Amino acid sequence: MPEQHFQSNAPLPPGNQIYLERPHIDHLLKEMVKNPVVVVMAGAGYGKTQAVYSFVRKYTAQTSWIQLSERDNISERFWENFIAGVALIDKKAALTLRKIDFPETERQFERYVSIPRAVITADTKIIFVFDDFHLIHNKAVLRFIERSITAPFPTVTSILISRTEPSFNMVKLLSRGLLGKITEEDLRFSREEMVKYLQIQNIKPSPQAISSIYHDTEGWAFAIHLAGLSLKNAPPGTGYVSQAMRSNIFKLIDSEILAVISADLRKFLIKLSLVEHLAVDLIREIAGQKPLFEEMERLSSFIRLDTYLNAYRIHHLLLEYLNGKQEELSEAEKREVYQKAAEWCIQHDQKMDAINYYEKAEDYARIITITYTLPMVLPGHFAWFILKLLDRIPQEVYTQNSPLYIIRARTLVSLSMFDQCERELKELISRTEALPLSPELHRLLMASYANLGFIGILNSTHSKDYYFVDLIKQAAHHAGLTGGYVIEPPVSVMNLGSYICRVYSPEKEEINRFIDAIAETAPYSRALGGCGWGMDDLARAEFCLFKGDVSGAEQFSLQAIRKARDAEQYEIENRALFFLLRISLVQGNYERIQDLFKQMEAQLDKVNYINRFIYYDIITGWYYIQIGRPEKLVPWLKDDFEESDLNTMFHGLEILVKAKNHFAEKRYPAALAALEDRKYKYGAGDFVMGTIEIKILEALCHYRLQDREGAFAALETAYTLALPNALYMPFTEMGKDMRALAEELLGGKTGRIPRAWLETVCQDASDYAKKLSLAAE
């Protein structure tokens, strides 16, 4: 809550402003804001917010005030709050930020930084104020703020208002000359300031009372304010009594605020205590037709309009008092406020807060509506947020709102809790099929079987059991009985993993068995909103590519693209474009490469393609490494530490690109360390194709490190895995490095690898390397 402690700094309507100048604080801040970071740190009641607010109102700069709360420890909620703050300065930049996720990774942060670079000018001073910074403890949010406020923007200053020391390295910032600091000692009122403040309130205590007040308050702003109130309202002839100031603050609030206001305003203020962000348009909705604002603005000691946020702010002590009075409201009145707050959040694209308010309003239908606009696989933090909410919902509510079961299933899948999800869905299907079926129950069964089918696809990697085909058929059957219900993006968009052919076994025909199973489900994908339409062609394209059948890979990739675009299957289209990029390098078709880049760039405008930026970076990064231009990779793919923001089920492909980059930079131990992440379940090493590519790169790293024995062993493993299905292209795609290793082996014993195969790989890798050189030119 804002730290307003006295009237003087409250922005009041023109002609009715009470104001106390504090020139030495203004001078301090004027010097401090020459630094990129200013920390205003003191306990409650020292006037931190008032001092900063007073300064920025007068200082020539564009200022955005970002009020933080406990819920900003959820990174997605903080990101919504931060973007709202940016919008106060530059609406166009805010719209651009809404298109990207919260910057947890290097790649995302670099993209975020590029946005302010485009709008910040050298002649415009910008100030961001982060109020109540002490409430933030989420490491990802803290890391973003720390990196953001120290980014190299000479005209931008961030002011952190906090009760405690910020949780990052302030000593380092001080030593680099990047930090200004204002403490409790700086904020204490001097004796003279205290007297001036009391005089503004038309309070003229005796010299003895002044000494006593200053001794008791020690310059603490809010205590001075309360002392003034006790003097102002004391019976005539009564002087200052220390105990009066130290007595129950709530009693003072009760007698000085709520006792003298109308019953309508009292109830209105209690209603406001239910809501976190008191935007002007929201509280006008809560007020309804009653003319309460003029009366409320007379309480400027505790309530003020923040012109930077266009929101009202209530002092934390008054808010605490109001929280204790919420029992005066009926349950219907509370639900009405929560509904209005939720609707405001929806209008301002703050879905997490909206879900929170709808839960308090017990409006589960609206929670269902919002959640169905989210992608099928939720980001980790959001999934935990939803699961905790779902765990709080009573069982009888599930019975009355059956789609909650499906939201729960999607959430459990997002968190890789497959066993629990399967168990719950099978129980749900058993209960539902025992009832007289209606279109609504058919929709429930459709979603249940579809989710079980998705889990089946994930589980088939190791089980080699393709039972998911029957589940998808069942889902499509019930889809035809839903009365015309249509599944739309982003829910209907198929999420792909590191490899399309989700097969771990190297046994001959196992990949074909998987592809046949996927193809068997293809006729039913249309009934499920097109989910997976074109995936069978994509799987065939991948298999052909790995076997070196370039013509077949091209044909199937083009078929997959046509189907994917028809059904808005963005990830399928993206992966097919990746295969065509690889094919074009083999063919030496450099003109088509430029066209493929344009098609991938066009996907960046598809808002329902949630992972579009990530995969664009990964695929273009793969290409730049292949042609010997690793410097063109985005920063997040160059780091030693993996920071992918993909859901863990789809983690892996970027690790291979990262390892390839380390190899290109001759950082072979770093490449090997990155490849260790292949052990992550559902990552690149969870599939035979991924393991082959990883083992090939391991072999080349060991070879460059003069470990011939390790190199030969890793290459032999890759060859053994590739042999049953004649997987060949990953060896060729390593170009001159594979040629060098193959020549080394041909010069001595080749082990289990046939000489004829090595000779062929040596020649093909050499030809491929020449085409890469031409592509680089």
Side-chain angles (χ1 to χ4, degrees):
M1 287 296 103
E3 294 280 347
Q4 179 181 350
H5 303 294
F6 50 99
Q7 293 180 333
S8 55
N9 284 354
L12 300 176
N16 188 32
Q17 188 163 4
I18 301 172
Y19 192 71
L20 174 67
E21 294 283 356
R22 299 193 71 189
H24 77 285
I25 298 293
D26 290 342
H27 177 74
L28 266 177
L29 283 166
K30 185 176 181 180
E31 292 301 311
M32 296 282 183
V33 295
K34 295 176 182 177
N35 299 301
V37 185
V38 179
V39 174
V40 181
M41 188 176 72
Y46 277 88
K48 302 181 296 294
T49 296
Q50 290 284 14
V52 175
Y53 190 80
S54 170
F55 169 75
V56 295
R57 290 194 323 165
K58 296 173 289 184
Y59 189 68
T60 304
Q62 287 185 289
T63 302
S64 177
W65 195 290
I66 299 172
Q67 181 63 49
L68 301 172
S69 73
E70 284 285 355
R71 275 194 284 156
D72 285 299
N73 286 295
I74 300 173
S75 55
E76 289 83 0
R77 199 273 178 180
F78 167 80
W79 189 233
E80 293 171 348
N81 193 10
F82 179 74
I83 291 173
V86 172
L88 299 173
I89 292 176
D90 192 298
K91 288 184 170 60
K92 186 176 180 181
L95 288 173
T96 306
L97 288 176
R98 289 190 191 281
K99 297 178 182 178
I100 66 175
D101 295 327
F102 170 72
E104 289 194 54
T105 67
E106 292 290 341
R107 174 198 60 78
Q108 289 178 313
F109 187 78
E110 183 61 28
R111 182 175 294 119
Y112 153 71
V113 170
S114 69
I115 294 170
R117 280 186 187 134
V119 299
I120 293 173
T121 60
D123 57 351
T124 302
K125 181 68 176 178
I126 296 174
I127 294 177
F128 282 94
V129 181
F130 295 88
D131 199 358
D132 280 347
F133 187 80
H134 56 275
L135 297 177
I136 302 302
H137 49 77
N138 179 287
K139 291 182 180 179
V141 174
L142 286 170
R143 185 165 181 262
F144 166 75
I145 295 176
E146 180 179 2
R147 297 175 66 199
S148 180
I149 64 181
T150 55
F153 299 124
T155 59
V156 178
T157 293
S158 297
I159 301 177
L160 311 182
I161 303 176
S162 180
R163 294 184 187 179
T164 58
E165 184 120 352
S167 301
F168 51 76
N169 195 339
M170 292 177 62
V171 174
K172 182 179 178 181
L173 293 175
L174 277 170
S175 65
R176 293 170 58 193
L178 301 175
L179 177 70
K181 190 174 179 181
I182 293 178
T183 65
E184 292 180 354
E185 289 304 315
D186 299 312
L187 291 167
R188 290 183 191 276
F189 271 45
S190 68
R191 183 186 178 100
E192 291 74 21
E193 285 177 323
M194 183 192 74
V195 172
K196 286 181 181 178
Y197 171 71
L198 294 174
Q199 287 175 344
I200 288 173
Q201 303 298 312
N202 199 28
I203 301 170
K204 298 178 181 179
S206 66
Q208 183 179 356
I210 290 172
S211 297
S212 297
I213 293 171
Y214 196 69
H215 177 268
D216 288 339
T217 62
E218 297 181 335
W220 180 39
F222 188 61
I224 292 171
H225 174 68
L226 293 179
L229 283 178
S230 66
L231 274 173
K232 193 172 185 179
N233 297 289
T238 304
Y240 169 72
V241 180
S242 178
Q243 189 56 38
M245 190 277 295
R246 296 177 181 274
S247 65
N248 195 318
I249 291 177
F250 284 176
K251 288 182 180 178
L252 190 57
I253 290 174
D254 191 51
S255 62
E256 295 301 322
I257 298 179
L258 297 191
V260 296
I261 62 176
S262 66
D264 285 342
L265 181 58
R266 176 188 175 90
K267 177 168 284 192
F268 176 60
L269 292 178
I270 297 172
K271 286 181 178 181
L272 294 189
S273 71
L274 298 170
V275 181
E276 186 170 299
H277 183 67
L278 300 176
V280 171
D281 49 349
L282 169 57
I283 69 169
R284 287 191 185 280
E285 281 290 318
I286 295 172
Q289 301 299 316
K290 295 180 179 179
L292 301 171
F293 281 78
E294 184 176 346
E295 184 183 2
M296 184 179 71
E297 286 172 353
R298 289 199 290 269
L299 305 177
S300 57
S301 293
F302 292 92
I303 304 172
R304 65 176 174 86
L305 173 64
D306 188 322
T307 55
Y308 294 110
L309 289 175
N310 193 33
Y312 281 91
R313 308 178 74 171
I314 303 177
H315 185 270
H316 70 94
L317 287 175
L318 174 58
L319 189 60
E320 186 179 340
Y321 177 90
L322 295 171
N323 285 336
K325 299 295 181 181
Q326 289 175 2
E327 72 278 359
E328 296 181 18
L329 300 175
S330 68
E331 291 303 312
E333 288 172 324
K334 291 178 184 178
R335 281 196 292 271
E336 181 185 13
V337 172
Y338 290 137
Q339 288 277 0
K340 290 179 178 179
E343 288 162 12
W344 183 90
C345 291
I346 288 293
Q347 293 168 9
H348 292 80
D349 198 30
Q350 297 179 16
K351 292 182 178 179
M352 292 187 75
D353 282 352
I355 290 172
N356 182 64
Y357 285 125
Y358 279 129
E359 182 193 7
K360 292 179 178 180
E362 298 181 354
D363 189 341
Y364 301 108
R366 289 292 291 158
I367 291 176
I368 293 168
T369 301
I370 296 172
T371 310
Y372 265 85
T373 66
L374 300 172
M376 179 65 75
V377 179
L378 301 170
H381 293 308
F382 210 155
W384 279 115
F385 169 78
I386 296 294
L387 183 59
K388 289 176 182 177
L389 179 150
L390 294 170
D391 285 342
R392 293 192 295 267
I393 295 176
Q395 184 57 46
E396 59 268 21
V397 175
Y398 277 86
T399 305
Q400 298 165 4
N401 299 270
S402 57
L404 285 172
Y405 288 111
I406 303 309
I407 294 170
R408 183 177 179 84
R410 287 169 48 193
T411 305
L412 291 171
V413 168
S414 298
L415 295 169
S416 302
M417 300 170 70
F418 301 141
D419 291 343
Q420 181 178 345
C421 185
E422 277 192 303
R423 184 171 61 254
E424 291 185 8
L425 283 174
K426 287 177 181 178
E427 291 173 357
L428 174 64
I429 289 171
S430 178
R431 292 197 306 271
T432 305
E433 289 180 339
L435 300 171
L437 295 182
S438 62
E440 182 182 351
L441 290 182
H442 280 297
R443 177 181 166 186
L444 179 61
L445 289 169
M446 172 197 70
S448 299
Y449 279 112
N451 278 277
L452 282 175
F454 187 57
I455 294 172
I457 293 175
L458 297 174
N459 285 336
S460 69
T461 301
H462 292 275
S463 69
K464 296 188 286 186
D465 184 348
Y466 304 115
Y467 65 87
F468 62 80
V469 175
D470 291 335
L471 294 168
I472 299 299
K473 288 181 181 179
Q474 285 276 34
H477 165 72
H478 288 287
L481 300 172
T482 59
Y485 173 74
V486 178
I487 309 174
E488 297 179 340
V491 174
S492 62
V493 178
M494 172 63 78
N495 291 273
L496 303 178
S498 303
Y499 292 84
I500 311 306
C501 297
R502 302 185 63 86
V503 175
Y504 177 76
S505 170
E507 295 174 19
K508 189 176 182 179
E509 298 304 321
E510 194 59 48
I511 293 176
N512 276 326
R513 286 188 63 222
F514 175 82
I515 293 174
D516 290 344
I518 291 294
E520 197 175 344
T521 67
Y524 307 101
S525 64
R526 282 298 197 180
L528 301 175
C531 187
W533 183 239
M535 188 173 169
D536 54 334
D537 289 310
L538 187 66
R540 291 189 180 98
E542 183 179 66
F543 194 22
C544 287
L545 178 65
F546 271 70
K547 291 191 294 185
D549 177 5
V550 175
S551 176
E554 183 175 18
Q555 174 191 343
F556 287 122
S557 293
L558 292 172
Q559 287 177 196
I561 288 173
R562 284 194 294 270
K563 290 180 179 178
R565 288 177 176 170
D566 181 46
E568 297 181 280
Q569 297 301 300
Y570 308 114
E571 292 208 18
I572 290 176
E573 177 187 350
N574 180 272
R575 197 63 60 86
L577 291 170
F578 178 39
F579 293 162
L580 288 176
L581 188 66
R582 297 169 74 165
I583 291 165
S584 298
L585 281 176
V586 175
Q587 295 173 331
N589 189 344
Y590 310 118
E591 290 185 4
R592 183 163 70 169
I593 288 173
Q594 300 305 314
D595 179 62
L596 291 170
F597 264 69
K598 290 178 182 177
Q599 292 183 61
M600 287 188 288
E601 288 167 1
Q603 282 198 304
L604 298 179
D605 294 326
K606 305 294 185 182
V607 295
N608 286 326
Y609 180 16
I610 305 300
N611 296 325
R612 59 194 183 278
F613 293 109
I614 299 171
Y615 280 119
Y616 180 83
D617 286 350
I618 292 171
I619 292 171
T620 57
W622 183 95
Y623 172 76
Y624 288 132
I625 292 170
Q626 288 297 102
I627 66 170
R629 298 294 303 278
E631 73 279 0
K632 293 180 71 67
L633 266 70
V634 293
W636 75 276
L637 283 171
K638 295 181 179 182
D639 288 347
D640 293 345
F641 300 101
E642 175 56 41
E643 294 187 49
S644 172
D645 54 355
L646 287 173
N647 186 289
T648 55
M649 285 188 294
F650 307 104
H651 174 89
L653 191 58
E654 71 276 16
I655 291 177
L656 194 62
V657 174
K658 184 184 288 286
K660 280 177 173 283
N661 176 62
H662 294 329
F663 180 83
E665 295 177 337
K666 301 181 180 180
R667 300 176 61 222
Y668 309 120
L672 290 170
L675 292 173
E676 280 297 307
D677 280 344
R678 70 185 184 275
K679 297 174 181 176
Y680 199 94
K681 195 170 185 182
Y682 304 108
D686 216 31
F687 312 103
V688 64
M689 292 179 177
T691 304
I692 290 169
E693 291 199 289
I694 288 168
K695 281 296 177 182
I696 292 170
L697 190 52
E698 276 187 7
L700 295 174
C701 287
H702 286 300
Y703 182 62
R704 292 298 182 189
L705 291 169
Q706 308 294 313
D707 178 10
R708 297 173 75 254
E709 184 177 340
F712 296 164
L715 186 65
E716 192 172 277
T717 300
Y719 169 77
T720 303
L721 291 170
L723 182 61
N725 292 286
L727 304 179
Y728 182 74
M729 185 61 72
F731 299 92
T732 302
E733 285 182 324
M734 294 312 295
K736 62 182 181 181
D737 296 294
M738 178 54 65
R739 180 194 64 197
L741 179 56
E743 287 176 344
E744 179 79 13
L745 267 169
L746 287 167
K749 294 181 179 181
T750 63
R752 287 187 291 173
I753 305 178
R755 294 186 69 83
W757 187 89
L758 283 170
E759 289 169 353
T760 303
V761 165
C762 188
Q763 183 59 53
D764 290 348
S766 179
D767 292 342
Y768 182 81
K770 292 174 184 176
K771 292 173 182 176
L772 292 181
S773 296
L774 290 173
E777 292 175 4

